[in-house]
Amino acid sequence: MTNEQPFIDVRHAQKSYGTLEVLKDISLQVSKGQIVAIIGPSGSGKSTLLRAINDLDPLTGGEIWLEDKQVNKDLPHRQYEKHINKVRQEIGMVFQHFNLFPHLTVRENITLAPKMLKGISDKDADKLAEEQLAKVGMSERIDYYPSQLSGGQKQRVAIARALAMKPKVMLFDEATSALDPELVEEVNLVMKALAEEHMTMIIVTHEMGFAESVCDRVLFMDEGVVVEEGPPEIIFKNPKNERTQNFLRKHLNG
Amino acid sequence: MDFDLILRVYPYFLEAALVTIQLAVLSIILGLACGALGAYARLSRWASLRFAGATYVSVIRGTPALIQLFILYFGGPQIGIQLDAFEAGVIGLGVNIGAYMTETIRGAIIAVDKGQIEASRTLGMGGWQTMRYVILPQAARLMIRPLGVNINAQIKGTALVAAISVVELTYTAQRYIGSTYKPFEMFFLAGIIYMVIIYITGLGINWLDRRAQIK
């Protein structure tokens, strides 16, 4: 890290469920345009950390900052709702299971939130949907329902839906883990294209090859701590920590 | 079986069936309103509302509908509630089925995948917007069939108000037994009419369910 102010700043993140501590004092700075991968065994806390960044899984200790705004503020319910709904518009999120709205068409999936939250006209919303779908190569399916799409297509629409809010950051929570192997690539390509546009991204993934080729930085997490972090060429080729080595041995050969 | 008798009295039974239908429709509308409020209370952020909702459901489901009707109709005047038999019937049956509908509606809402809420909230939509535009449209489809079961039960449940002398189908059958001494024919006729009402209602619910399914 240089002395540049971090874009996303996770300060001493701590989270427990009862006596189980899933995040143990994690700090993480991401600068604008940076792409960070978080890897680690399941149960390591990587998804919890990602979901804490937009306060979907609130921390029990520590702070999350996006630029000059604190995300996880302790406010009375009404004020908190107002605050978090504003902040979340700037943080796009993509889920493992897509979570498209099944009762809405692809177009409506994309335009619902911009219409509700930004009050844009139907015409502008349609244009927005077309733009975003073109980006993910899904223009032809604009009036389909999610159930008529393959997993890879669903995920591309989910990415378009998040992008339609014009977020400053994109969070990917194992975006390709639920996909059939032959559908992973089309989603990876969309994420690569986003990387080339210098979108700031935090990516929780099991795809080591993808993390290596796309990310600027890799964090290896285990048991609620960041065990090791660094540029992908170091983490993947020459990890120092034994736990990282063991994990990668299993995943790179598997 | 005395078919001549049935042919002679059935027009009066059909008139009584209209009262049964009115009772059913009005009490179902009231029940849906109670059910919506009850589900809202049971899913509320406020513990006191959740408690009120849970109490409503367990009191109503824990006591016979007949006792509830008796308390309302016979016991009501003692505490200053004066209702005629029909009003007491509609209110008693409506509040009763409302408790079952509370659970149906609540069940459908919580059956919608949690990921839907998360996706909506991460886009920046508020709790109410998420409920209105993401959860309820999906829950509504899930609740049509189980609400159909509640409605079916309610149509048959209207027979209870014969006990507080509302002149509906069952009461009418009893009355004609008094003058004809033919309980088999009279109850048989009433049963057939209930069945027709329920069959037609069932067709309507099936139609609604098919129409509402997500493509």
Side-chain angles (χ1 to χ4, degrees):
Chain A
M1 287 269 98
T2 56
N3 49 12
E4 185 190 347
Q5 147 141 11
F7 200 57
I8 299 167
D9 194 358
V10 178
R11 303 178 187 165
H12 305 289
Q14 193 276 337
K15 180 164 181 84
S16 325
Y17 295 102
T19 55
L20 180 71
E21 207 177 7
V22 289
L23 297 179
K24 301 169 186 164
D25 192 24
I26 291 184
S27 290
L28 164 69
Q29 283 82 38
V30 180
S31 47
K32 196 171 166 62
Q34 211 177 33
I35 299 162
V36 175
I38 307 178
I39 61 170
S42 49
S44 59
K46 55 191 192 306
S47 278
T48 309
L49 176 62
L50 192 78
R51 291 161 56 89
I53 290 172
N54 62 5
D55 217 27
L56 208 52
D57 268 348
L59 294 175
T60 36
E63 295 175 0
I64 307 277
W65 289 74
L66 173 65
E67 291 181 292
D68 53 353
K69 280 187 290 269
Q70 189 179 348
V71 176
N72 62 334
K73 273 192 198 159
D74 202 6
L75 292 169
H77 179 76
R78 261 169 207 278
Q79 279 163 272
Y80 169 79
E81 284 288 304
K82 226 178 135 185
H83 156 78
I84 201 69
N85 292 337
K86 262 257 158 335
V87 174
R88 282 180 179 152
Q89 293 184 34
E90 305 189 330
I91 309 175
M93 186 161 197
V94 175
F95 300 87
Q96 183 178 357
H97 295 289
F98 332 124
N99 298 347
L100 290 180
F101 306 133
H103 59 297
L104 301 178
T105 62
V106 165
R107 180 200 305 272
E108 291 162 341
N109 263 276
I110 294 170
T111 57
L112 177 65
K115 275 190 190 169
M116 299 295 314
L117 302 172
K118 298 186 171 171
I120 63 173
S121 67
D122 287 1
K123 217 174 128 194
D124 288 344
D126 276 345
K127 227 175 93 192
L128 181 67
E130 284 156 21
E131 272 167 29
Q132 298 306 327
L133 286 172
K135 248 184 172 169
V136 299
M138 288 292 296
S139 300
E140 267 134 56
R141 302 291 155 101
I142 191 162
D143 289 315
Y144 282 50
Y145 280 88
S147 62
Q148 299 167 307
L149 306 177
S150 73
Q153 292 174 328
K154 282 182 198 168
Q155 197 59 297
R156 282 147 67 195
V157 172
I159 294 171
R161 177 176 69 178
L163 290 175
M165 290 304 291
K166 312 278 186 196
K168 295 178 173 164
V169 185
M170 286 285 283
L171 309 176
F172 291 87
D173 191 2
E174 302 195 20
T176 56
S177 297
L179 296 176
D180 292 336
E182 73 270 22
L183 301 178
V184 169
E185 195 50 31
E186 59 186 87
V187 174
N188 281 347
L189 283 174
V190 169
M191 290 169 68
K192 270 183 191 156
L194 270 181
E196 275 153 26
E197 291 175 21
H198 304 291
M199 172 63 85
T200 310
M201 303 200 267
I202 304 180
I203 302 169
V204 167
T205 185
H206 285 295
E207 302 240 3
M208 301 306 149
F210 179 73
E212 191 171 356
S213 65
V214 174
C215 298
D216 304 312
R217 234 166 100 211
V218 179
L219 268 72
F220 172 68
M221 279 182 71
D222 196 13
E223 293 177 355
V225 295
V226 176
V227 175
E228 191 168 354
E229 70 165 293
E233 54 275 18
I234 302 285
I235 297 289
F236 289 112
K237 297 277 152 33
N238 209 352
K240 290 179 196 70
N241 191 290
E242 199 184 328
R243 285 198 295 188
T244 319
Q245 292 164 1
N246 286 338
F247 175 79
L248 288 173
R249 197 170 308 129
K250 269 185 243 160
H251 278 263
L252 292 178
N253 301 335
Chain B
M1 182 120 86
D2 188 344
F3 283 106
D4 284 345
L5 176 64
I6 288 178
L7 286 176
R8 227 165 344 110
V9 297
Y10 88 88
Y12 305 105
F13 277 63
L14 289 183
E15 261 173 54
L18 281 181
V19 178
T20 289
I21 290 168
Q22 279 171 22
L23 272 167
V25 169
L26 292 174
S27 67
I28 285 164
I29 291 170
L30 177 61
L32 286 168
C34 289
L37 279 176
Y40 177 80
R42 290 217 59 183
L43 295 168
S44 169
R45 269 188 323 112
W46 290 288
S48 52
L49 265 183
R50 286 201 301 276
F51 179 77
T55 306
Y56 165 53
V57 169
S58 53
V59 166
I60 296 291
R61 295 204 307 186
T63 51
L66 193 58
I67 296 289
Q68 294 159 20
L69 280 173
F70 283 168
I71 288 177
L72 188 62
Y73 184 62
F74 297 117
Q78 242 179 289
I79 53 166
I81 302 172
Q82 296 279 359
L83 296 168
D84 70 37
F86 184 82
E87 290 163 355
V90 168
I91 293 171
L93 291 172
V95 170
N96 176 271
I97 203 70
Y100 295 88
M101 287 176 165
T102 292
E103 291 302 272
T104 302
I105 293 170
R106 170 175 162 272
I109 289 171
I110 60 180
V112 175
D113 180 22
K114 289 247 174 332
Q116 294 289 308
I117 301 176
E118 291 185 349
S120 173
R121 296 306 307 264
T122 54
L123 289 165
M125 304 236 286
W128 172 244
Q129 289 172 326
T130 298
M131 188 48 101
R132 166 73 184 77
Y133 294 99
V134 176
I135 305 305
L136 284 181
Q138 297 182 58
R141 294 167 165 92
L142 294 175
M143 66 179 79
I144 292 173
R145 277 202 171 274
L147 280 178
V149 174
N150 294 146
I151 287 168
N152 174 300
Q154 183 72 326
I155 294 168
K156 291 177 285 193
T158 56
L160 283 177
V161 300
I164 56 171
S165 64
V166 179
V167 187
E168 43 66 79
L169 196 47
T170 300
Y171 187 86
T172 301
Q174 285 169 342
R175 228 165 48 170
Y176 276 87
I177 292 161
S179 53
T180 62
Y181 304 104
K182 299 269 188 178
F184 186 86
E185 281 83 352
M186 297 301 104
F187 284 136
F188 182 83
L189 178 55
I192 293 284
I193 296 172
Y194 278 116
M195 231 180 109
V196 170
I197 296 171
I198 282 168
Y199 180 73
I200 292 169
T201 310
L203 288 181
I205 286 163
N206 283 341
W207 175 80
L208 207 61
D209 187 54
R210 267 199 314 277
R211 262 198 55 146
Q213 286 323 303
I214 295 166
K215 284 118 247 167

